[in-house]
Amino acid sequence: MSIHKEIKKVTTHTLQKMKNNGEKISMLTAYDFSFAKLFDKANIDVLLVGDSASNVMAGHETTLPITLDQMIYHASSVIRGTDRALVVVDLPFGSYQSNSDIALASAVRIMKETGAHAIKLEGGEEIVESVKKIVSAGIPVMGHLGLTPQSIYKFGTYNVRAKEESEANKLKNDSKLLQEAGCFAVVLEKIPALLAKEVSESLNIPTIGIGAGKHCDGQVLVMHDMLGINTEFKPRFLRQYLNLADSIVDAVGRYVSDVKANEFPNDAESY
Ligand code: KIV
């Protein structure tokens, strides 16, 4: 019997057991109560309240503008819709980079005010001290390496990261540092599949890939991309499971026509 089928509540320990047993981890982003409830019902292992909310919920071009208060609002909505999944919340840009005391204070706010189970932050060596401090306070931390969207203005593009040997070596070293600092898992975003394989095999903790190939211990996608709500974003790594955009536009179009033609509501829909 797979751990996934047996488990009533996913914890960081469950994810470690999945890696040890060779069972892949499923993770999706969620930002609100209703979708979290549906994803939880579908037995997703991990729900990530990603700072991608800045893009897909608020319409910003980057993840930089979203605030800690806004992340807390999204995370508490997700928590209310979740019974089984582990809920991880992104620390937004500016809420942890300046020093480890501020990072801890931000992580504590998320845990206290949302009821979430873990936090995620982006970066390697530069944020290791913060990871250690947050973990020592009893808060589980997920790392995030490779393409780290909060640093988009440093990279300049959303292209594949760590193709060059020096960047690949830094990523390998960072992944070890994050594991030593106490991270329970690491997201690997948009890096070559062979590098992700090497990192996944060298770490004891699980890796969760997005655009990082099939050898990671789990996979994550942004819900608006995989459900086809956001149809303009079509990177090679994305598998679109639904075309919700067309279904919604069609349904709303039919509703508009019915209202205009005075065909909605009918007698049976009236009091
Ligand atoms: O914010 C987010 O959605 C993420 C995933 C892409 C991993 O960090």
Side-chain angles (χ1 to χ4, degrees):
M1 174 81 115
S2 73
I3 296 168
H4 170 79
K5 288 203 176 121
E6 263 176 10
I7 206 83
K8 297 271 180 293
K9 252 194 191 310
V10 179
T11 67
T12 56
H13 300 277
T14 317
L15 304 187
Q16 186 62 57
K17 273 196 214 155
M18 286 179 175
K19 169 152 184 156
N20 298 347
N21 286 8
E23 185 177 327
K24 299 279 183 178
I25 298 163
S26 61
M27 173 160 138
L28 256 189
T29 65
Y31 315 97
D32 72 347
F33 168 80
S34 302
F35 275 109
K37 203 165 170 190
L38 293 174
F39 300 166
D40 199 55
K41 193 173 171 192
N43 280 340
I44 193 82
D45 294 317
V46 185
L47 286 176
L48 171 66
V49 185
D51 59 356
S52 49
S54 180
N55 311 107
V56 295
M57 300 301 286
H60 292 296
E61 209 171 298
T62 71
T63 58
L64 275 67
I66 199 160
T67 65
L68 187 55
D69 285 337
Q70 288 163 341
M71 289 303 295
I72 287 172
Y73 166 77
H74 286 296
S76 30
S77 310
V78 166
I79 280 287
R80 285 191 288 273
T82 309
D83 283 329
R84 178 186 174 278
L86 180 84
V87 177
V88 182
V89 183
D90 264 336
L91 284 191
F93 177 68
S95 72
Y96 63 96
Q97 285 90 347
S98 42
N99 70 56
S100 59
D101 289 330
I102 290 180
L104 175 61
S106 302
V108 166
R109 273 201 69 197
I110 287 191
M111 301 301 282
K112 252 191 192 309
E113 296 177 38
T114 72
H117 312 124
I119 60 101
K120 172 164 89 57
L121 30 73
E122 296 181 4
E125 198 174 357
E126 323 76 45
I127 52 122
V128 158
E129 204 192 311
S130 298
V131 172
K132 285 185 183 155
K133 198 164 257 186
I134 297 170
V135 171
S136 347
I139 301 172
V141 177
M142 181 179 270
H144 185 154
L145 295 171
L147 176 62
T148 47
Q150 292 180 12
S151 308
I152 185 58
Y153 292 119
K154 187 171 114 193
F155 297 144
T157 73
Y158 287 99
N159 293 346
V160 179
R161 306 301 314 170
K163 280 163 109 179
E164 307 283 322
E165 201 182 335
S166 62
E167 198 184 337
N169 285 339
K170 172 164 167 39
L171 190 144
K172 285 188 247 179
N173 187 48
D174 282 344
S175 70
K176 289 272 184 217
L177 291 174
L178 290 176
Q179 172 169 278
E180 280 159 24
C183 281
F184 70 87
V186 187
V187 167
L188 300 176
E189 180 163 354
K190 226 169 171 190
I191 61 169
L194 280 180
L195 174 61
K197 180 175 191 281
E198 195 182 331
V199 172
S200 303
E201 286 170 358
S202 73
L203 294 184
N204 299 320
I205 58 171
T207 58
I208 313 282
I210 174 163
K214 67 191 303 193
H215 302 288
C216 294
D217 302 301
Q219 297 293 330
V220 57
L221 285 175
V222 169
M223 58 160 280
H224 289 69
D225 303 336
M226 70 83 78
L227 294 177
I229 300 173
N230 170 20
T231 50
E232 279 141 45
F233 184 62
K234 285 195 190 299
R236 169 162 153 184
F237 69 76
L238 174 64
R239 187 175 296 176
Q240 198 182 302
Y241 284 82
L242 204 59
N243 190 337
L244 213 45
D246 282 356
S247 304
I248 291 173
V249 171
D250 176 62
V252 174
R254 286 187 290 114
Y255 168 70
V256 170
S257 303
D258 286 353
V259 170
K260 300 282 176 196
N262 203 19
E263 281 171 8
F264 175 80
N266 60 23
D267 289 346
E269 288 157 341
S270 306
Y271 297 98

